[in-house]
């Protein structure tokens, strides 16, 4: 019954009748269940979770939709999302992946990401020239606060590092220099005034790939308007992207001086979040990063 209702929603969203003839389980990440469904000619990717997680899917869909509308870098087009019984679902365009070893695709990915970062919304956009986003979303399964701010330093201090440190304290984390770091953020970022860019927000290697046709694609975003460097920093966090990616990005939108120091502050957000999600050695890593930033 659930699958029939989802098929009906796809039919309404696309204007073409869709009936599922094939359904198979695929990876949906560590948080959701994933499925490929097909009627023999059209294929879709479906994420499923508890109905209580609908807001997470809605925020992801709106983020992917906004990135799609920029017509810069490829993302899987969102089709529809909603709840059926006890389940929340998100239906996305199905993309055949598998061209990761295509060097020119990674150069193109860097170029296209730079174009996304250069994209500017219309002046009547509610958060025009501000940092944040229309709604809160999630980073992994952690709430991500996106309340609009005029100051990038204030946004990063309050909504990113400050919020994660509060969560870490509740979890029993010991970050002795956390308060000192928070107070230092306005100095670290004070003379740096980035343009608000639409960022992916969670751009590690698992959320970027190349289609079987050799086209770069990014997915599973934690979208907001922030410093474009947060995306570049995270690509370096868990092993780095191919060199061609950074060369491609630099051709379009070279980084400003000071990035090497700022990227540690930006990646601290993700390491603190990993501590809050998984515990373990991420606390030690976060403390090492805090000491390095304060040096």
């Amino acid at each position: 019954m659930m699958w029939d209702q989802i098929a009906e929603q796809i039919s309404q969203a696309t204007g073409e009748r869709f009936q599922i003839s094939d359904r198979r389980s695929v990876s949906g990440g560590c948080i959701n269940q994933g499925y490929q469904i097909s009627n023999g000619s059209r294929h879709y990717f479906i994420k499923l979770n508890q109905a209580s997680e609908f807001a997470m899917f809605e925020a992801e869909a709106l983020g992917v939709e906004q990135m799609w509308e920029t017509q810069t870098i490829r993302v899987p087009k969102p089709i529809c999302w909603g709840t059926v019984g006890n389940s929340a679902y998100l239906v996305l365009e199905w993309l055949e992946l598998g061209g990761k070893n295509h060097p020119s695709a990674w150069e193109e990915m860097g170029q296209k990401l730079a174009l996304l970062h250069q994209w500017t919304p219309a002046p009547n956009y509610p958060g025009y020239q501000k940092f944040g986003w229309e709604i809160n979303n999630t980073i992994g399964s952690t709430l991500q606060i996106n309340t609009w701010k005029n100051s990038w330093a204030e946004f990063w201090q309050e909504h990113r590092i400050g919020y994660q440190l509060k969560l870490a304290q509740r979890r029993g984390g010991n970050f002795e220099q956390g308060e000192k770091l928070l107070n230092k953020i306005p100095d670290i970022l004070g003379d740096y005034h980035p343009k608000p860019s639409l960022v992916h927000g969670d751009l590690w290697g698992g959320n970027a790939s190349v289609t079987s046709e050799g086209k770069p694609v990014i997915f599973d975003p934690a979208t907001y308007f922030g410093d474009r460097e947060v995306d570049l920093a995270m690509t370096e966090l868990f092993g780095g992207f191919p060199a061609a990616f950074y060369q491609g990005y630099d051709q379009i939108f070279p980084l400003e001086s000071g990035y090497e120091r700022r990227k540690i502050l930006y990646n601290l957000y993700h390491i603190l979040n990993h501590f809050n999600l998984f515990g373990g050695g991420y606390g030690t890593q976060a403390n090492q990063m805090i000491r390095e930033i304060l040096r």
Side-chain angles (χ1 to χ4, degrees):
M1 178 66 79
M2 176 186 77
W3 291 105
D4 290 340
Q5 289 179 268
I6 291 175
E8 178 58 31
Q9 291 302 312
I10 293 171
S11 301
Q12 290 184 20
T14 61
E16 296 180 60
R17 177 155 172 71
F18 182 81
Q19 193 167 0
I20 300 171
S21 61
D22 184 52
R23 182 180 83 238
R24 61 191 68 183
S25 178
V26 295
S27 173
C30 57
I31 299 168
N32 309 299
Q33 295 173 278
Y35 293 88
Q36 182 198 29
I37 60 170
S38 170
N39 67 352
S41 59
R42 287 188 284 150
H43 308 267
Y44 297 103
F45 175 56
I46 302 221
K47 290 186 181 186
L48 289 179
N49 209 313
Q50 298 296 315
S52 58
E53 300 298 327
F54 169 69
M56 176 179 70
F57 282 165
E58 181 179 41
E60 179 180 342
L62 295 174
V64 177
E65 194 168 60
Q66 190 170 40
M67 292 167 70
W68 170 273
E69 288 170 358
T70 69
Q71 292 296 293
T72 53
I73 193 165
R74 183 78 185 272
V75 292
K77 185 177 183 181
I79 307 300
C80 57
W81 51 95
T83 57
V84 177
N86 296 323
S87 297
Y89 66 88
L90 169 60
V91 182
L92 299 160
E93 171 189 19
W94 175 264
L95 296 173
E96 287 288 347
L97 306 179
K100 276 210 168 193
N101 295 324
H102 206 298
S104 66
W106 286 97
E107 182 180 9
E108 184 183 346
M109 184 181 290
Q111 294 168 340
K112 292 291 181 68
L113 182 69
L115 292 175
L116 172 70
H117 289 164
Q118 288 180 330
W119 178 82
T120 305
N124 62 353
Y125 181 70
Y128 184 71
Q129 296 301 314
K130 292 183 180 180
F131 299 98
W133 201 46
E134 299 159 25
I135 55 174
N136 294 333
N137 50 15
T138 55
I139 181 77
S141 57
T142 307
L143 179 69
Q144 181 167 262
I145 307 298
N146 293 321
T147 308
W148 296 111
K149 293 277 188 186
N150 291 313
S151 161
W152 172 242
E154 190 179 330
F155 179 89
W156 198 257
Q157 179 188 42
E158 184 178 333
H159 295 334
R160 293 297 181 259
I161 303 301
Y163 181 70
Q164 289 287 346
L165 282 171
K166 279 181 192 170
L167 295 181
Q169 191 172 26
R170 288 180 208 158
R171 190 184 167 95
N174 181 25
F175 301 99
E176 291 180 357
Q177 291 187 286
E179 197 64 33
K180 184 178 179 182
L181 172 69
L182 268 185
N183 294 332
K184 188 83 174 168
I185 288 175
D187 292 333
I188 297 170
L189 298 176
D191 293 329
Y192 175 63
H193 303 288
K195 176 185 87 72
S197 292
L198 185 62
V199 297
H200 178 282
D202 194 12
L203 195 58
W204 67 290
N207 289 341
S209 191
V210 177
T211 68
S212 54
E213 298 168 338
K215 289 296 176 186
V217 59
I218 57 176
F219 38 83
D220 292 351
T223 314
Y224 62 99
F225 283 89
D227 178 9
R228 64 189 176 117
E229 290 182 355
V230 300
D231 277 348
L232 276 297
M234 195 179 188
T235 66
E236 297 188 50
L237 186 56
F238 300 116
F241 282 24
F245 166 82
Y246 302 101
Q247 291 161 5
Y249 190 95
D250 194 59
Q251 289 167 18
I252 305 293
F253 202 1
L255 293 174
E256 295 182 36
S257 61
Y259 165 72
E260 292 300 322
R261 186 185 186 202
R262 289 190 295 269
K263 77 177 180 184
I264 305 168
L265 178 62
Y266 294 161
N267 282 339
L268 174 63
Y269 173 62
H270 298 292
I271 296 302
L272 285 170
N273 186 50
H274 275 60
F275 171 77
N276 287 320
L277 291 172
F278 311 117
Y282 290 112
T284 302
Q285 187 177 354
N287 272 315
Q288 288 171 345
M289 294 170 81
I290 291 170
R291 285 194 294 269
E292 190 174 352
I293 296 164
L294 290 173
R295 241 180 243 151

